[in-house]
Amino acid sequence: MGTKNIGNAYESVKVILPREFQDSLASSEGHFGDVLRPVGTAFQQVYIVLVGFEESLGLDPNDPLIPFVLFVGVSATLWGSYRVLKYSGYSGDLSPQSTMELLRGNESVVLIDIRPENLRGKDGIPDLRRSARSRYASVTLPEVDGSVKKLLKGGRDIEDSLLATVIRDLKIVEDRSKVLVMDADGTRSKGVARSLRKLGTKRPYQVEGGFRSWLKEGMRVKELKPETTLTILNEEAEAILEEIKPTPLKVVGFGVGVLAAAYSLLDWERTLQFIGVIGLGQTIFRRVASYQGADDFNQDVRVLLAPVKLGGEAISWAAGKLETNRNGLPTAPSSVDVQSRVLQAAAKHESQPSDASDQTQQDEVNISEA
């Protein structure tokens, strides 16, 4: 039906064209008819088969839903077949950018470089920093002479299997790791990824386009040379600076922070005092800022004066307890009591000599009488 509609539209357009174009199209229609006639016959046969298949299943061929379902089913089948043929044996292709994002993430990911050592020395290797540094490894096999390769049946498959075996036995490759295979230009990594799947690796991938694609997308590259502690620290510092992207204001802030930390280590007691004063001031400021009206301020004043009031009441109660004892005698004499007692003692002391003289005179009288 679709072909018939296209034909009708073609005939309508052809009538509008000038006579010369109509003649040239008429001469070409015979050639196209000879070419397309077998195709049309094939489609007709397929249509007859489909109608018979629908009738055998008890379906109505005139139902518009049936052709739609068949179209969707055939499309899904063709798409699945394409995916199986292209990605059969491994998990899929990853772009260099997706590869870098995985290496920087929290998943268990390993990047395996299978390029020969001479290419790695010439073109460099991926520059992975910080958490991704420990997720890179390179694996190469000794070059096999061409005459020896001819003697081996399926020489490339054997090499891929050997590389996959070496990769599987690496310490950084775990059972649940995503293994990302990268070669020079993407022509060999797919076979190695398929061999890894055959050996039991659950999630093997290939870096699409290989190291050439890595360079093309402008990813970071470094030379193949031994790493020292100094070079690692330098790369880590550069990576940190790239992440924080320091501005002049940030540099000044970091400098002030470093000076404050150094001072706090040298004089930690005064630093603690400063922290306490600043914390108290901040607490008071936040409390005052939270006031909604005078009632909040009066409530805080009452709370602050409550201990003073309670202390005054305690002192008054203690003074009342110390003023008198159970017998009513003063235990804490006042100045008036002290003065009266002193006068009583003085008067008693003055009376003692007169009594003694009277006694002496009495004794003299008794002696004279005797």
Side-chain angles (χ1 to χ4, degrees):
M1 292 176 63
T3 305
K4 186 182 293 184
N5 292 330
I6 293 173
N8 294 332
Y10 170 72
E11 292 293 336
S12 300
V13 173
K14 187 174 71 171
V15 174
I16 304 173
L17 296 174
R19 188 66 181 177
E20 300 83 27
F21 288 99
Q22 293 182 12
D23 294 339
S24 60
L25 288 175
S27 61
S28 301
E29 287 176 359
H31 300 289
F32 282 109
D34 296 337
V35 174
L36 296 178
R37 190 173 294 109
V39 178
T41 303
F43 273 109
Q44 187 176 3
Q45 295 296 328
V46 171
Y47 177 74
I48 294 172
V49 172
L50 288 176
V51 170
F53 178 71
E54 294 172 6
E55 291 177 350
S56 64
L57 293 177
L59 302 175
D60 184 8
N62 297 322
D63 189 353
L65 183 61
I66 302 302
F68 175 75
V69 173
L70 290 176
F71 173 76
V72 173
V74 172
S75 301
T77 304
L78 294 176
W79 175 249
S81 302
Y82 167 75
R83 296 286 298 181
V84 169
L85 292 175
K86 186 175 181 180
Y87 300 114
S88 60
Y90 70 108
S91 299
D93 301 338
L94 293 175
S95 65
Q97 188 65 37
S98 300
T99 301
M100 180 59 73
E101 292 177 358
L102 282 175
L103 292 171
R104 289 177 178 175
N106 298 323
E107 293 186 70
S108 179
V109 183
V110 180
L111 176 62
I112 307 298
D113 193 344
I114 62 172
R115 293 177 298 153
E117 186 174 358
N118 59 344
L119 289 181
R120 289 187 283 114
K122 177 183 177 182
D123 301 332
I125 61 175
D127 188 2
L128 307 179
R129 301 185 177 187
R130 309 203 71 183
S131 60
R133 181 187 299 276
S134 60
R135 297 178 175 181
Y136 171 81
S138 59
V139 174
T140 55
L141 291 178
E143 290 293 333
V144 180
D145 186 73
S147 58
V148 178
K149 284 185 177 181
K150 293 179 181 180
L151 297 176
L152 296 175
K153 184 178 180 180
R156 177 57 63 87
D157 295 337
I158 294 175
E159 290 183 1
D160 293 345
S161 299
L162 291 175
L163 277 173
T165 303
V166 175
I167 293 171
R168 185 195 59 180
D169 294 337
L170 292 175
K171 292 182 179 180
I172 61 174
V173 178
E174 301 175 355
D175 294 338
R176 301 180 63 85
S177 297
K178 287 185 177 180
V179 182
L180 317 181
V181 183
M182 182 177 66
D183 61 357
D185 53 4
T187 57
R188 249 197 109 177
S189 55
K190 184 179 294 186
V192 176
R194 287 174 175 171
S195 298
L196 282 170
R197 173 63 67 84
K198 293 178 182 178
L199 293 175
T201 303
K202 297 180 180 179
R203 297 187 292 176
Y205 295 83
Q206 74 154 344
V207 179
E208 189 175 8
F211 191 74
R212 182 182 300 175
S213 177
W214 187 278
L215 293 174
K216 187 177 180 180
E217 293 194 12
M219 306 299 290
R220 190 188 299 275
V221 178
K222 65 180 180 180
E223 297 180 0
L224 178 63
K225 58 182 181 180
E227 292 185 340
T228 62
T229 304
L230 183 60
T231 57
I232 293 175
L233 292 177
N234 186 27
E235 291 178 359
E236 294 297 321
E238 291 179 358
I240 293 173
L241 290 176
E242 289 178 359
E243 288 183 2
I244 63 176
K245 296 179 181 180
T247 60
L249 183 60
K250 288 183 178 180
V251 172
V252 173
F254 290 149
V256 173
V258 171
L259 292 177
Y263 177 80
S264 64
L265 291 176
L266 294 176
D267 194 355
W268 59 272
E269 293 182 354
R270 185 170 296 179
T271 302
L272 293 178
Q273 295 175 0
F274 286 156
I275 293 174
V277 171
I278 293 173
L280 180 60
Q282 186 179 12
T283 302
I284 294 174
F285 173 77
R286 290 185 176 182
R287 182 61 182 176
V288 173
S290 65
Y291 287 162
Q292 300 294 331
D295 294 337
D296 296 336
F297 176 75
N298 295 332
Q299 182 179 359
D300 283 349
V301 171
R302 286 194 297 270
V303 172
L304 291 175
L305 295 179
V308 178
K309 182 179 179 181
L310 182 61
E313 293 177 354
I315 293 173
S316 300
W317 177 81
K321 288 295 183 180
L322 294 174
E323 186 175 359
T324 57
N325 58 14
R326 295 180 181 180
N327 297 325
L329 298 176
T331 57
S334 61
S335 59
V336 177
D337 295 335
V338 173
Q339 185 177 4
S340 62
R341 290 183 181 183
V342 171
L343 292 176
Q344 292 177 3
K348 185 178 180 181
H349 181 69
E350 291 177 356
S351 63
Q352 286 180 357
S354 60
D355 294 341
S357 60
D358 294 340
Q359 184 66 31
T360 303
Q361 293 176 359
Q362 184 67 32
D363 292 341
E364 291 178 352
V365 171
N366 293 335
I367 292 172
S368 60
E369 289 179 355

